[in-house]
Amino acid sequence: MAPRLLAARERPALVAGQPLVWICQADAVPVREAARQLLRQQLAHYLRRPMAEVPLRFAPGQAPAVEARWKGLRLTPSLSYCGDLALVGLCAGARLGLDLAAVAPLPDWEGVARLYLGPLAVPRLARLEATARARRFAQDWAGMEAAGKCLGLPLEEWTPARQQRLEACQLSVSLAHWPDAPDGTAFAWALARGPCADR
């Protein structure tokens, strides 16, 4: 079962192996900046350090990294962006991957599904009517991306070997409607938790 999405002000207890996920909506600043600021704020709270002293590293093309431990456990952050929304995740002692995808019609869904979701996805999606297909596609895509992020894998075309690796993650996928989203837009969000990351 996926954890509930937390408001930025919420700071429940950090528990080893149990991810926390916050929703971040950008108003006056770019969403990436807002999400990184929120992650730094939460880390400052859990590490009991001033924000300026939080050892959080961002490098192009790499997942963010926390260069400090919490109760001896490695902290794994994960970020995902979609429009003006972001998810900010943190897990102690386990790998974490998040993804957020808007539910929207995709004209070339069949080709994209065949390339990235695998041969079984196409007939499964083809059986659905358009609205249900858009929801299922967003869920499948978010799940695939979250598992890839959890394992540190780049986005690549589907292969049986890649699928086998992705299935090593514990995956939960949910649909949500953000209250402030225009027209009640729905989003799929996925959380993947992987092998222990405390070594």
Side-chain angles (χ1 to χ4, degrees), residues 45-77:
H45 170 76
Y46 292 113
L47 293 172
R48 297 182 180 175
R49 298 186 184 191
M51 280 182 57
E53 296 177 16
V54 170
L56 180 59
R57 179 176 48 83
F58 293 98
Q62 296 180 15
V66 182
E67 297 173 340
R69 292 185 178 245
W70 175 84
K71 297 187 177 180
L73 299 174
R74 182 173 295 167
L75 290 166
T76 304

PDB file of all heavy atoms in Angstrom, residues 45-77:
ATOM      1  N   HIS A  45      15.131  19.128   9.114  1.00  0.00           N
ATOM      2  CA  HIS A  45      14.346  18.705  10.270  1.00  0.00           C
ATOM      3  C   HIS A  45      14.813  17.339  10.781  1.00  0.00           C
ATOM      4  O   HIS A  45      15.095  17.175  11.974  1.00  0.00           O
ATOM      5  CB  HIS A  45      12.865  18.648   9.893  1.00  0.00           C
ATOM      6  CG  HIS A  45      12.012  17.995  10.926  1.00  0.00           C
ATOM      7  ND1 HIS A  45      11.640  18.628  12.102  1.00  0.00           N
ATOM      8  CD2 HIS A  45      11.474  16.745  10.979  1.00  0.00           C
ATOM      9  CE1 HIS A  45      10.906  17.799  12.824  1.00  0.00           C
ATOM     10  NE2 HIS A  45      10.783  16.658  12.165  1.00  0.00           N
ATOM     11  N   TYR A  46      14.909  16.351   9.891  1.00  0.00           N
ATOM     12  CA  TYR A  46      15.234  14.992  10.330  1.00  0.00           C
ATOM     13  C   TYR A  46      16.696  14.840  10.754  1.00  0.00           C
ATOM     14  O   TYR A  46      16.998  14.037  11.634  1.00  0.00           O
ATOM     15  CB  TYR A  46      14.875  13.983   9.236  1.00  0.00           C
ATOM     16  CG  TYR A  46      13.382  13.881   9.035  1.00  0.00           C
ATOM     17  CD1 TYR A  46      12.792  14.306   7.847  1.00  0.00           C
ATOM     18  CD2 TYR A  46      12.545  13.384  10.032  1.00  0.00           C
ATOM     19  CE1 TYR A  46      11.417  14.230   7.669  1.00  0.00           C
ATOM     20  CE2 TYR A  46      11.180  13.312   9.863  1.00  0.00           C
ATOM     21  CZ  TYR A  46      10.619  13.737   8.689  1.00  0.00           C
ATOM     22  OH  TYR A  46       9.254  13.674   8.515  1.00  0.00           O
ATOM     23  N   LEU A  47      17.581  15.603  10.136  1.00  0.00           N
ATOM     24  CA  LEU A  47      18.996  15.533  10.521  1.00  0.00           C
ATOM     25  C   LEU A  47      19.348  16.493  11.659  1.00  0.00           C
ATOM     26  O   LEU A  47      20.473  16.488  12.149  1.00  0.00           O
ATOM     27  CB  LEU A  47      19.883  15.833   9.307  1.00  0.00           C
ATOM     28  CG  LEU A  47      19.849  14.789   8.189  1.00  0.00           C
ATOM     29  CD1 LEU A  47      20.623  15.305   6.969  1.00  0.00           C
ATOM     30  CD2 LEU A  47      20.415  13.465   8.669  1.00  0.00           C
ATOM     31  N   ARG A  48      18.382  17.344  12.017  1.00  0.00           N
ATOM     32  CA  ARG A  48      18.576  18.339  13.078  1.00  0.00           C
ATOM     33  C   ARG A  48      19.788  19.224  12.795  1.00  0.00           C
ATOM     34  O   ARG A  48      20.685  19.389  13.622  1.00  0.00           O
ATOM     35  CB  ARG A  48      18.703  17.655  14.445  1.00  0.00           C
ATOM     36  CG  ARG A  48      17.441  16.910  14.809  1.00  0.00           C
ATOM     37  CD  ARG A  48      17.518  16.266  16.145  1.00  0.00           C
ATOM     38  NE  ARG A  48      16.265  15.575  16.413  1.00  0.00           N
ATOM     39  CZ  ARG A  48      16.060  14.828  17.473  1.00  0.00           C
ATOM     40  NH1 ARG A  48      17.004  14.655  18.357  1.00  0.00           N
ATOM     41  NH2 ARG A  48      14.906  14.231  17.643  1.00  0.00           N
ATOM     42  N   ARG A  49      19.780  19.787  11.597  1.00  0.00           N
ATOM     43  CA  ARG A  49      20.831  20.702  11.161  1.00  0.00           C
ATOM     44  C   ARG A  49      20.188  21.934  10.543  1.00  0.00           C
ATOM     45  O   ARG A  49      19.079  21.856  10.011  1.00  0.00           O
ATOM     46  CB  ARG A  49      21.711  20.062  10.081  1.00  0.00           C
ATOM     47  CG  ARG A  49      22.457  18.827  10.512  1.00  0.00           C
ATOM     48  CD  ARG A  49      23.383  18.392   9.405  1.00  0.00           C
ATOM     49  NE  ARG A  49      24.061  17.154   9.738  1.00  0.00           N
ATOM     50  CZ  ARG A  49      25.073  16.664   9.059  1.00  0.00           C
ATOM     51  NH1 ARG A  49      25.536  17.305   8.003  1.00  0.00           N
ATOM     52  NH2 ARG A  49      25.645  15.532   9.412  1.00  0.00           N
ATOM     53  N   PRO A  50      20.898  23.049  10.550  1.00  0.00           N
ATOM     54  CA  PRO A  50      20.400  24.209   9.801  1.00  0.00           C
ATOM     55  C   PRO A  50      20.336  23.868   8.308  1.00  0.00           C
ATOM     56  O   PRO A  50      21.147  23.073   7.812  1.00  0.00           O
ATOM     57  CB  PRO A  50      21.458  25.290  10.069  1.00  0.00           C
ATOM     58  CG  PRO A  50      22.187  24.836  11.287  1.00  0.00           C
ATOM     59  CD  PRO A  50      22.137  23.339  11.284  1.00  0.00           C
ATOM     60  N   MET A  51      19.408  24.485   7.595  1.00  0.00           N
ATOM     61  CA  MET A  51      19.254  24.171   6.177  1.00  0.00           C
ATOM     62  C   MET A  51      20.556  24.382   5.403  1.00  0.00           C
ATOM     63  O   MET A  51      20.869  23.605   4.495  1.00  0.00           O
ATOM     64  CB  MET A  51      18.141  25.019   5.558  1.00  0.00           C
ATOM     65  CG  MET A  51      16.766  24.474   5.864  1.00  0.00           C
ATOM     66  SD  MET A  51      15.442  25.436   5.094  1.00  0.00           S
ATOM     67  CE  MET A  51      15.909  25.357   3.377  1.00  0.00           C
ATOM     68  N   ALA A  52      21.288  25.397   5.749  1.00  0.00           N
ATOM     69  CA  ALA A  52      22.533  25.691   5.025  1.00  0.00           C
ATOM     70  C   ALA A  52      23.578  24.596   5.208  1.00  0.00           C
ATOM     71  O   ALA A  52      24.517  24.499   4.426  1.00  0.00           O
ATOM     72  CB  ALA A  52      23.091  27.036   5.474  1.00  0.00           C
ATOM     73  N   GLU A  53      23.423  23.775   6.241  1.00  0.00           N
ATOM     74  CA  GLU A  53      24.403  22.723   6.516  1.00  0.00           C
ATOM     75  C   GLU A  53      23.944  21.329   6.087  1.00  0.00           C
ATOM     76  O   GLU A  53      24.619  20.337   6.358  1.00  0.00           O
ATOM     77  CB  GLU A  53      24.739  22.712   8.008  1.00  0.00           C
ATOM     78  CG  GLU A  53      25.425  23.981   8.480  1.00  0.00           C
ATOM     79  CD  GLU A  53      25.684  23.983   9.973  1.00  0.00           C
ATOM     80  OE1 GLU A  53      25.607  22.897  10.608  1.00  0.00           O
ATOM     81  OE2 GLU A  53      25.935  25.071  10.509  1.00  0.00           O
ATOM     82  N   VAL A  54      22.810  21.253   5.410  1.00  0.00           N
ATOM     83  CA  VAL A  54      22.316  19.955   4.938  1.00  0.00           C
ATOM     84  C   VAL A  54      23.198  19.492   3.777  1.00  0.00           C
ATOM     85  O   VAL A  54      23.323  20.187   2.774  1.00  0.00           O
ATOM     86  CB  VAL A  54      20.845  20.049   4.494  1.00  0.00           C
ATOM     87  CG1 VAL A  54      20.411  18.781   3.776  1.00  0.00           C
ATOM     88  CG2 VAL A  54      19.946  20.310   5.701  1.00  0.00           C
ATOM     89  N   PRO A  55      23.830  18.321   3.892  1.00  0.00           N
ATOM     90  CA  PRO A  55      24.730  17.845   2.845  1.00  0.00           C
ATOM     91  C   PRO A  55      23.975  17.155   1.704  1.00  0.00           C
ATOM     92  O   PRO A  55      23.996  15.936   1.560  1.00  0.00           O
ATOM     93  CB  PRO A  55      25.646  16.874   3.595  1.00  0.00           C
ATOM     94  CG  PRO A  55      24.766  16.329   4.675  1.00  0.00           C
ATOM     95  CD  PRO A  55      23.807  17.426   5.059  1.00  0.00           C
ATOM     96  N   LEU A  56      23.295  17.968   0.910  1.00  0.00           N
ATOM     97  CA  LEU A  56      22.480  17.477  -0.187  1.00  0.00           C
ATOM     98  C   LEU A  56      23.182  17.828  -1.493  1.00  0.00           C
ATOM     99  O   LEU A  56      23.538  18.987  -1.719  1.00  0.00           O
ATOM    100  CB  LEU A  56      21.093  18.130  -0.124  1.00  0.00           C
ATOM    101  CG  LEU A  56      20.076  17.750  -1.182  1.00  0.00           C
ATOM    102  CD1 LEU A  56      19.780  16.253  -1.172  1.00  0.00           C
ATOM    103  CD2 LEU A  56      18.787  18.554  -0.966  1.00  0.00           C
ATOM    104  N   ARG A  57      23.405  16.821  -2.329  1.00  0.00           N
ATOM    105  CA  ARG A  57      24.160  17.037  -3.563  1.00  0.00           C
ATOM    106  C   ARG A  57      23.278  16.755  -4.769  1.00  0.00           C
ATOM    107  O   ARG A  57      22.573  15.750  -4.833  1.00  0.00           O
ATOM    108  CB  ARG A  57      25.377  16.110  -3.590  1.00  0.00           C
ATOM    109  CG  ARG A  57      26.230  16.239  -4.841  1.00  0.00           C
ATOM    110  CD  ARG A  57      27.474  15.376  -4.764  1.00  0.00           C
ATOM    111  NE  ARG A  57      27.248  14.009  -4.334  1.00  0.00           N
ATOM    112  CZ  ARG A  57      26.859  13.027  -5.142  1.00  0.00           C
ATOM    113  NH1 ARG A  57      26.618  13.256  -6.413  1.00  0.00           N
ATOM    114  NH2 ARG A  57      26.696  11.800  -4.662  1.00  0.00           N
ATOM    115  N   PHE A  58      23.325  17.677  -5.732  1.00  0.00           N
ATOM    116  CA  PHE A  58      22.658  17.513  -7.013  1.00  0.00           C
ATOM    117  C   PHE A  58      23.714  17.536  -8.100  1.00  0.00           C
ATOM    118  O   PHE A  58      24.547  18.427  -8.135  1.00  0.00           O
ATOM    119  CB  PHE A  58      21.653  18.644  -7.265  1.00  0.00           C
ATOM    120  CG  PHE A  58      20.479  18.637  -6.322  1.00  0.00           C
ATOM    121  CD1 PHE A  58      20.464  19.463  -5.210  1.00  0.00           C
ATOM    122  CD2 PHE A  58      19.396  17.804  -6.541  1.00  0.00           C
ATOM    123  CE1 PHE A  58      19.395  19.460  -4.337  1.00  0.00           C
ATOM    124  CE2 PHE A  58      18.317  17.795  -5.669  1.00  0.00           C
ATOM    125  CZ  PHE A  58      18.314  18.623  -4.567  1.00  0.00           C
ATOM    126  N   ALA A  59      23.675  16.543  -8.981  1.00  0.00           N
ATOM    127  CA  ALA A  59      24.603  16.481 -10.106  1.00  0.00           C
ATOM    128  C   ALA A  59      23.798  16.185 -11.362  1.00  0.00           C
ATOM    129  O   ALA A  59      22.863  15.378 -11.325  1.00  0.00           O
ATOM    130  CB  ALA A  59      25.658  15.400  -9.883  1.00  0.00           C
ATOM    131  N   PRO A  60      24.126  16.840 -12.474  1.00  0.00           N
ATOM    132  CA  PRO A  60      23.374  16.616 -13.717  1.00  0.00           C
ATOM    133  C   PRO A  60      23.314  15.133 -14.082  1.00  0.00           C
ATOM    134  O   PRO A  60      24.326  14.434 -14.036  1.00  0.00           O
ATOM    135  CB  PRO A  60      24.171  17.407 -14.762  1.00  0.00           C
ATOM    136  CG  PRO A  60      24.912  18.441 -13.970  1.00  0.00           C
ATOM    137  CD  PRO A  60      25.216  17.805 -12.646  1.00  0.00           C
ATOM    138  N   GLY A  61      22.110  14.669 -14.411  1.00  0.00           N
ATOM    139  CA  GLY A  61      21.936  13.299 -14.844  1.00  0.00           C
ATOM    140  C   GLY A  61      21.971  12.250 -13.747  1.00  0.00           C
ATOM    141  O   GLY A  61      21.933  11.058 -14.027  1.00  0.00           O
ATOM    142  N   GLN A  62      22.042  12.693 -12.489  1.00  0.00           N
ATOM    143  CA  GLN A  62      22.092  11.753 -11.374  1.00  0.00           C
ATOM    144  C   GLN A  62      20.982  12.057 -10.374  1.00  0.00           C
ATOM    145  O   GLN A  62      20.512  13.190 -10.281  1.00  0.00           O
ATOM    146  CB  GLN A  62      23.440  11.831 -10.663  1.00  0.00           C
ATOM    147  CG  GLN A  62      24.609  11.422 -11.528  1.00  0.00           C
ATOM    148  CD  GLN A  62      25.923  11.522 -10.780  1.00  0.00           C
ATOM    149  OE1 GLN A  62      25.947  11.625  -9.557  1.00  0.00           O
ATOM    150  NE2 GLN A  62      27.017  11.488 -11.517  1.00  0.00           N
ATOM    151  N   ALA A  63      20.607  11.043  -9.622  1.00  0.00           N
ATOM    152  CA  ALA A  63      19.626  11.249  -8.558  1.00  0.00           C
ATOM    153  C   ALA A  63      20.256  12.100  -7.457  1.00  0.00           C
ATOM    154  O   ALA A  63      21.477  12.061  -7.262  1.00  0.00           O
ATOM    155  CB  ALA A  63      19.190   9.900  -7.993  1.00  0.00           C
ATOM    156  N   PRO A  64      19.453  12.882  -6.736  1.00  0.00           N
ATOM    157  CA  PRO A  64      20.018  13.636  -5.611  1.00  0.00           C
ATOM    158  C   PRO A  64      20.588  12.684  -4.568  1.00  0.00           C
ATOM    159  O   PRO A  64      20.138  11.541  -4.443  1.00  0.00           O
ATOM    160  CB  PRO A  64      18.816  14.425  -5.064  1.00  0.00           C
ATOM    161  CG  PRO A  64      17.611  13.721  -5.578  1.00  0.00           C
ATOM    162  CD  PRO A  64      18.005  13.062  -6.859  1.00  0.00           C
ATOM    163  N   ALA A  65      21.579  13.153  -3.845  1.00  0.00           N
ATOM    164  CA  ALA A  65      22.232  12.305  -2.839  1.00  0.00           C
ATOM    165  C   ALA A  65      22.393  13.080  -1.538  1.00  0.00           C
ATOM    166  O   ALA A  65      22.723  14.270  -1.551  1.00  0.00           O
ATOM    167  CB  ALA A  65      23.595  11.835  -3.343  1.00  0.00           C
ATOM    168  N   VAL A  66      22.154  12.396  -0.430  1.00  0.00           N
ATOM    169  CA  VAL A  66      22.354  12.968   0.904  1.00  0.00           C
ATOM    170  C   VAL A  66      23.646  12.393   1.460  1.00  0.00           C
ATOM    171  O   VAL A  66      23.778  11.172   1.606  1.00  0.00           O
ATOM    172  CB  VAL A  66      21.183  12.627   1.852  1.00  0.00           C
ATOM    173  CG1 VAL A  66      21.401  13.269   3.218  1.00  0.00           C
ATOM    174  CG2 VAL A  66      19.872  13.073   1.247  1.00  0.00           C
ATOM    175  N   GLU A  67      24.588  13.240   1.758  1.00  0.00           N
ATOM    176  CA  GLU A  67      25.890  12.792   2.251  1.00  0.00           C
ATOM    177  C   GLU A  67      25.940  12.860   3.770  1.00  0.00           C
ATOM    178  O   GLU A  67      26.819  13.478   4.365  1.00  0.00           O
ATOM    179  CB  GLU A  67      26.989  13.614   1.585  1.00  0.00           C
ATOM    180  CG  GLU A  67      27.006  13.393   0.070  1.00  0.00           C
ATOM    181  CD  GLU A  67      27.956  14.297  -0.672  1.00  0.00           C
ATOM    182  OE1 GLU A  67      28.348  15.346  -0.122  1.00  0.00           O
ATOM    183  OE2 GLU A  67      28.294  13.962  -1.824  1.00  0.00           O
ATOM    184  N   ALA A  68      24.939  12.239   4.362  1.00  0.00           N
ATOM    185  CA  ALA A  68      24.854  12.114   5.827  1.00  0.00           C
ATOM    186  C   ALA A  68      23.962  10.929   6.112  1.00  0.00           C
ATOM    187  O   ALA A  68      23.180  10.509   5.262  1.00  0.00           O
ATOM    188  CB  ALA A  68      24.278  13.387   6.443  1.00  0.00           C
ATOM    189  N   ARG A  69      24.083  10.392   7.306  1.00  0.00           N
ATOM    190  CA  ARG A  69      23.253   9.252   7.695  1.00  0.00           C
ATOM    191  C   ARG A  69      22.310   9.639   8.823  1.00  0.00           C
ATOM    192  O   ARG A  69      22.584  10.549   9.589  1.00  0.00           O
ATOM    193  CB  ARG A  69      24.136   8.070   8.090  1.00  0.00           C
ATOM    194  CG  ARG A  69      24.869   7.522   6.874  1.00  0.00           C
ATOM    195  CD  ARG A  69      25.660   6.272   7.202  1.00  0.00           C
ATOM    196  NE  ARG A  69      26.292   5.769   5.996  1.00  0.00           N
ATOM    197  CZ  ARG A  69      26.009   4.598   5.421  1.00  0.00           C
ATOM    198  NH1 ARG A  69      25.118   3.806   5.954  1.00  0.00           N
ATOM    199  NH2 ARG A  69      26.619   4.228   4.326  1.00  0.00           N
ATOM    200  N   TRP A  70      21.210   8.922   8.873  1.00  0.00           N
ATOM    201  CA  TRP A  70      20.222   9.099   9.936  1.00  0.00           C
ATOM    202  C   TRP A  70      20.202   7.796  10.728  1.00  0.00           C
ATOM    203  O   TRP A  70      19.888   6.738  10.186  1.00  0.00           O
ATOM    204  CB  TRP A  70      18.855   9.399   9.314  1.00  0.00           C
ATOM    205  CG  TRP A  70      17.735   9.474  10.298  1.00  0.00           C
ATOM    206  CD1 TRP A  70      17.359  10.552  11.043  1.00  0.00           C
ATOM    207  CD2 TRP A  70      16.825   8.420  10.634  1.00  0.00           C
ATOM    208  NE1 TRP A  70      16.282  10.236  11.825  1.00  0.00           N
ATOM    209  CE2 TRP A  70      15.927   8.931  11.598  1.00  0.00           C
ATOM    210  CE3 TRP A  70      16.687   7.096  10.223  1.00  0.00           C
ATOM    211  CZ2 TRP A  70      14.909   8.168  12.148  1.00  0.00           C
ATOM    212  CZ3 TRP A  70      15.669   6.327  10.774  1.00  0.00           C
ATOM    213  CH2 TRP A  70      14.789   6.867  11.724  1.00  0.00           C
ATOM    214  N   LYS A  71      20.595   7.869  11.989  1.00  0.00           N
ATOM    215  CA  LYS A  71      20.672   6.681  12.855  1.00  0.00           C
ATOM    216  C   LYS A  71      21.465   5.556  12.187  1.00  0.00           C
ATOM    217  O   LYS A  71      21.113   4.387  12.266  1.00  0.00           O
ATOM    218  CB  LYS A  71      19.267   6.207  13.238  1.00  0.00           C
ATOM    219  CG  LYS A  71      18.496   7.241  14.052  1.00  0.00           C
ATOM    220  CD  LYS A  71      17.182   6.696  14.552  1.00  0.00           C
ATOM    221  CE  LYS A  71      16.473   7.734  15.420  1.00  0.00           C
ATOM    222  NZ  LYS A  71      15.182   7.253  15.944  1.00  0.00           N
ATOM    223  N   GLY A  72      22.525   5.941  11.497  1.00  0.00           N
ATOM    224  CA  GLY A  72      23.396   4.975  10.840  1.00  0.00           C
ATOM    225  C   GLY A  72      22.915   4.488   9.496  1.00  0.00           C
ATOM    226  O   GLY A  72      23.587   3.691   8.845  1.00  0.00           O
ATOM    227  N   LEU A  73      21.757   4.935   9.050  1.00  0.00           N
ATOM    228  CA  LEU A  73      21.176   4.489   7.779  1.00  0.00           C
ATOM    229  C   LEU A  73      21.340   5.545   6.701  1.00  0.00           C
ATOM    230  O   LEU A  73      21.210   6.751   6.968  1.00  0.00           O
ATOM    231  CB  LEU A  73      19.687   4.189   7.956  1.00  0.00           C
ATOM    232  CG  LEU A  73      19.327   3.088   8.952  1.00  0.00           C
ATOM    233  CD1 LEU A  73      17.815   3.025   9.121  1.00  0.00           C
ATOM    234  CD2 LEU A  73      19.874   1.742   8.489  1.00  0.00           C
ATOM    235  N   ARG A  74      21.567   5.072   5.488  1.00  0.00           N
ATOM    236  CA  ARG A  74      21.634   5.982   4.355  1.00  0.00           C
ATOM    237  C   ARG A  74      20.247   6.532   4.074  1.00  0.00           C
ATOM    238  O   ARG A  74      19.243   5.816   4.136  1.00  0.00           O
ATOM    239  CB  ARG A  74      22.171   5.244   3.125  1.00  0.00           C
ATOM    240  CG  ARG A  74      22.312   6.153   1.900  1.00  0.00           C
ATOM    241  CD  ARG A  74      23.006   5.441   0.776  1.00  0.00           C
ATOM    242  NE  ARG A  74      24.369   5.135   1.185  1.00  0.00           N
ATOM    243  CZ  ARG A  74      25.174   4.311   0.552  1.00  0.00           C
ATOM    244  NH1 ARG A  74      24.753   3.682  -0.528  1.00  0.00           N
ATOM    245  NH2 ARG A  74      26.401   4.089   0.976  1.00  0.00           N
ATOM    246  N   LEU A  75      20.184   7.813   3.729  1.00  0.00           N
ATOM    247  CA  LEU A  75      18.936   8.458   3.353  1.00  0.00           C
ATOM    248  C   LEU A  75      18.864   8.540   1.833  1.00  0.00           C
ATOM    249  O   LEU A  75      19.785   9.046   1.191  1.00  0.00           O
ATOM    250  CB  LEU A  75      18.860   9.866   3.943  1.00  0.00           C
ATOM    251  CG  LEU A  75      18.677   9.940   5.459  1.00  0.00           C
ATOM    252  CD1 LEU A  75      18.966  11.342   5.969  1.00  0.00           C
ATOM    253  CD2 LEU A  75      17.271   9.505   5.839  1.00  0.00           C
ATOM    254  N   THR A  76      17.782   8.040   1.266  1.00  0.00           N
ATOM    255  CA  THR A  76      17.598   8.089  -0.183  1.00  0.00           C
ATOM    256  C   THR A  76      16.461   9.052  -0.508  1.00  0.00           C
ATOM    257  O   THR A  76      15.316   8.804  -0.130  1.00  0.00           O
ATOM    258  CB  THR A  76      17.245   6.700  -0.738  1.00  0.00           C
ATOM    259  OG1 THR A  76      18.251   5.779  -0.364  1.00  0.00           O
ATOM    260  CG2 THR A  76      17.131   6.736  -2.255  1.00  0.00           C
ATOM    261  N   PRO A  77      16.773  10.150  -1.201  1.00  0.00           N
ATOM    262  CA  PRO A  77      15.707  11.044  -1.661  1.00  0.00           C
ATOM    263  C   PRO A  77      15.303  10.690  -3.090  1.00  0.00           C
ATOM    264  O   PRO A  77      16.042  10.028  -3.821  1.00  0.00           O
ATOM    265  CB  PRO A  77      16.380  12.417  -1.624  1.00  0.00           C
ATOM    266  CG  PRO A  77      17.824  12.130  -1.920  1.00  0.00           C
ATOM    267  CD  PRO A  77      18.098  10.743  -1.379  1.00  0.00           C
TER     268      PRO A  77
END
